[in-house]
């Protein structure tokens, strides 16, 4: 295991009715609140009205319409609203897109330049207006980490920015809020959680046994409960396990101590959504089994055997490659059974931009430092496997 520093500063309020703590949580920071949300799901499921009921004594201004794969233009708009209203604290109600957008807004309020500078170099600011979240989808882990992923549609760039101060101060995780999710978002969210874990699991770090055991538990949680939530969207046990899996998969717990290599599927997926605006988790579900097939070799096969035996419960056998392939097949079949379209073609993506995207992946993130080093040509081969 490698040396590491671990700090997860977000206070989690988990369970039914935790929204009742909202007033207490926010009042520490002031009375002027920006309420930020997406395309309106929070109005349909009642959270919007509940927030107003609880925050009678606050001055609320709003940023609505934050898009999935949030855009820099929306961040700029949010910063303006906050400046005009002297906002003390930002309340993000929604998924990773809304939360990520508000993290950048919080950072941009005290920055005089353009917000896109901060996506490229977040350390330009040292003061961030506090963000508090009410999570409505189990997926990204944004509710408990310091990352924001923002898209610039003018340059076809979708980049991650990390800054300690951007971690939410508190997040309310009420699994009942995820009951209204469309099936595809439940499935895509589970695929995203699984990918966060898989990106850290498949590394060559020696001796990080504990991180791998936690990861295997999170993967098995998604494999067990995503189908249950799809079958019965109001199954509290399934929704609560998925929601906590979302936070634990990407709050540092599984990855710290294994930071020697960088991720592979996420940098590739971010180009797919930068160019085609697709759902992040769907892109990852399509990529992950193809990437696995591509990197399976004598050097990596033992890790795949662990994955096959400890995650998919296959019996250990002498034929390591057979076992590895069975696990990859099981991964792909799982996503198919969850209803995820498993080819880029099904999302309307053809081969016309594959080369451009492959080069962009390497320009943004040099994958020679990945678990299995990948060149632009390797990325192109993987993308072709996804067509
Ligand atoms: O906008 P509304 O109307 O709320 O609808 C949303 C949206 O259409 C809907 N939804 C969310 N909760 C709902 C609901 N609909 C009904 N009932 C509910 N309870 O779901 C759709 C997707 O929402 P979004 O916020 O985009 O989903 P997700 O949480 O998957 O976020 C994806 C974004 O996060 C980034 C992704 O790249 C993408 O931009 N990521 C952020 C990370 C981070 N901050 O650490 C890491 C991830 O790897 C990822 O890159
Ligand atoms: Zn992700």
């Amino acid at each position: 295991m490698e040396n590491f520093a671990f700090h997860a500063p977000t206070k989690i309020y988990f369970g039914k009715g935790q929204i009742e703590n909202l007033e207490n949580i926010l009042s520490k920071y002031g009375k002027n609140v920006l309420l930020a949300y997406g395309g309106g799901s929070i109005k349909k499921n009642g959270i919007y009205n509940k927030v107003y009921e609880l925050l009678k004594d606050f001055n609320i201004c709003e940023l609505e319409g934050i898009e999935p794969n949030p855009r820099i233009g929306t961040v700029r708009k949010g910063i303006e609203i906050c400046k005009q209203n002297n906002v003390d604290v930002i309340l993000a109600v929604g998924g990773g897109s809304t939360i990520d957008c508000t993290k950048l807004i919080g950072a941009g309020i005290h920055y005089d330049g353009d917000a896109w500078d901060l996506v490229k170099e977040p350390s330009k600011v040292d003061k961030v207006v506090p963000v508090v979240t009410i999570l409505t989808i189990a997926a990204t882990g944004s509710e408990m980490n310091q990352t924001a992923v923002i898209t610039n549609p003018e340059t076809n760039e979708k980049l991650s920015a990390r800054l300690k101060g951007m971690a939410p101060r508190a997040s309310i995780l009420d699994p009942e809020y995820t009951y209204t999710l469309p099936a595809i978002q439940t499935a895509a969210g589970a695929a995203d959680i699984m990918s966060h874990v898989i990106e850290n699991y498949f590394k060559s770090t020696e001796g990080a046994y504990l991180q791998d055991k936690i990861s295997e538990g999170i993967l098995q949680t998604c494999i067990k409960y995503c189908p249950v939530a799809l079958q019965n969207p109001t199954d509290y046990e399934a929704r609560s396990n998925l929601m906590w899996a979302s936070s634990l998969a990407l709050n540092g717990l599984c990855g710290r101590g294994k930071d020697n290599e960088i991720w592979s599927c996420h940098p590739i997926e971010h180009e797919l959504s930068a160019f085609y605006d697709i759902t992040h988790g769907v892109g990852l579900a399509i990529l992950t089994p193809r990437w696995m097939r591509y990197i399976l070799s004598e050097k990596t096969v033992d890790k795949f055997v662990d994955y096959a035996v400890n995650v998919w419960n296959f019996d250990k056998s002498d034929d390591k490659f057979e076992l590895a392939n069975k696990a990859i097949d099981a991964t792909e079949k799982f996503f198919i059974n969850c209803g995820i379209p498993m080819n880029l073609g099904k999302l309307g993506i053809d081969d016309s931009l594959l080369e451009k995207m492959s080069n962009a992946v390497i320009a943004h993130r040099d994958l020679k430092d990945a678990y299995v080093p990948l060149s632009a040509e390797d990325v192109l081969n993987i993308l072709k496997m996804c067509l």
Side-chain angles (χ1 to χ4, degrees):
M1 197 188 297
E2 308 220 311
N3 290 357
F4 63 89
F6 176 72
H7 180 56
T10 305
K11 181 160 182 179
I12 298 293
Y13 293 80
F14 191 97
K16 292 179 190 176
Q18 290 285 17
I19 197 168
E20 298 297 336
N21 293 297
L22 190 62
E23 189 185 348
N24 269 343
I25 297 169
L26 293 181
S27 54
K28 285 189 204 105
Y29 306 108
K31 289 283 180 198
N32 298 339
V33 180
L34 174 74
L35 169 62
Y37 55 98
S41 70
I42 73 157
K43 288 189 174 164
K44 288 188 203 133
N45 59 21
I47 308 176
Y48 179 85
N49 286 342
K50 184 73 187 172
V51 166
Y52 272 92
E53 186 192 311
L54 291 168
L55 299 185
K56 280 191 210 82
D57 298 333
F58 288 72
N59 311 311
I60 301 178
C61 55
E62 289 194 16
L63 172 66
E64 64 177 315
I66 297 173
E67 50 286 279
N69 301 322
R71 294 164 187 219
I72 191 65
T74 313
V75 174
R76 291 182 185 123
K77 190 171 151 195
I79 292 170
E80 274 318 303
I81 296 173
C82 287
K83 284 182 175 169
Q84 281 161 16
N85 293 278
N86 290 320
V87 161
D88 302 309
V89 56
I90 304 172
L91 176 61
V93 187
S97 296
T98 294
I99 298 172
D100 286 3
C101 186
T102 59
K103 287 176 179 176
L104 238 293
I105 293 170
I109 293 169
H110 294 295
Y111 179 66
D112 287 337
D114 181 50
W116 187 246
D117 301 347
L118 297 181
V119 178
K120 297 211 154 176
E121 207 184 329
S123 60
K124 279 176 184 284
V125 285
D126 52 14
K127 198 170 164 208
V128 181
V129 170
V131 170
V132 169
T133 87
I134 299 176
L135 184 66
T136 64
I137 170 173
T140 64
S142 184
E143 66 276 10
M144 206 179 168
N145 70 37
Q146 47 184 267
T147 303
V149 185
I150 305 293
T151 296
N152 186 338
E154 283 160 27
T155 56
N156 285 122
E157 285 180 293
K158 180 179 184 182
L159 303 179
S160 300
R162 293 183 71 194
L163 186 68
K164 218 162 66 189
M166 291 198 309
R169 304 296 173 94
S171 285
I172 294 172
L173 274 55
D174 183 338
E176 291 183 320
Y177 291 155
T178 63
Y179 288 174
T180 52
L181 274 167
I184 186 64
Q185 290 298 337
T186 296
D192 191 21
I193 298 168
M194 290 172 73
S195 175
H196 296 155
V197 171
I198 286 170
E199 299 268 27
N200 285 320
Y201 189 75
F202 285 88
K203 284 187 177 169
S204 58
T205 327
E206 296 286 337
Y209 177 87
L210 175 60
Q211 285 91 326
D212 283 359
K213 286 290 147 192
I214 297 170
S215 300
E216 288 162 1
I218 292 173
L219 287 167
Q220 290 193 321
T221 299
C222 294
I223 292 163
K224 178 177 164 81
Y225 284 115
C226 179
V228 178
L230 289 170
Q231 185 76 33
N232 178 10
T234 60
D235 186 307
Y236 186 79
E237 184 176 320
R239 292 299 193 183
S240 55
N241 278 279
L242 289 170
M243 199 168 222
W244 193 218
S246 160
S247 306
L248 296 189
L250 201 54
N251 70 351
L253 196 60
C254 304
R256 292 296 85 78
K258 298 191 75 176
D259 292 308
N260 56 325
E261 284 148 349
I262 63 167
W263 291 10
S264 302
C265 291
H266 270 71
I268 305 176
E269 196 296 313
H270 282 178
E271 296 307 326
L272 283 171
S273 33
F275 280 82
Y276 290 101
D277 202 18
I278 65 170
T279 299
H280 175 63
V282 170
L284 291 169
I286 294 172
L287 279 162
T288 300
R290 277 58 179 239
W291 166 76
M292 287 177 162
R293 287 189 208 291
Y294 195 77
I295 64 154
L296 176 60
S297 71
E298 203 61 60
K299 193 175 151 239
T300 60
V301 70
D302 287 333
K303 195 77 207 179
F304 278 99
V305 169
D306 287 350
Y307 177 65
V309 173
N310 298 335
V311 175
W312 292 102
N313 296 326
F314 289 119
D315 290 335
K316 238 186 163 128
S317 86
D318 289 340
D319 190 337
K320 292 183 189 177
F321 279 89
E322 188 193 314
L323 205 48
N325 277 308
K326 271 165 76 173
I328 299 172
D329 291 345
T331 309
E332 187 164 0
K333 196 154 169 260
F334 174 77
F335 293 138
I336 292 170
N337 289 343
C338 289
I340 298 179
M342 285 296 286
N343 295 89
L344 293 179
K346 291 186 178 157
L347 307 180
I349 299 176
D350 60 17
D351 62 0
S352 55
L353 293 177
L354 295 193
E355 203 170 329
K356 199 169 178 185
M357 287 192 287
S358 307
N359 291 331
V361 171
I362 302 301
H364 288 131
R365 208 95 173 92
D366 195 342
L367 296 186
K368 72 174 178 345
D369 298 323
Y371 172 54
V372 171
L374 299 174
S375 64
E377 197 186 339
D378 293 318
V379 174
L380 182 61
N381 291 336
I382 293 169
L383 285 171
K384 282 181 179 164
M385 290 163 75
C386 297
L387 284 170

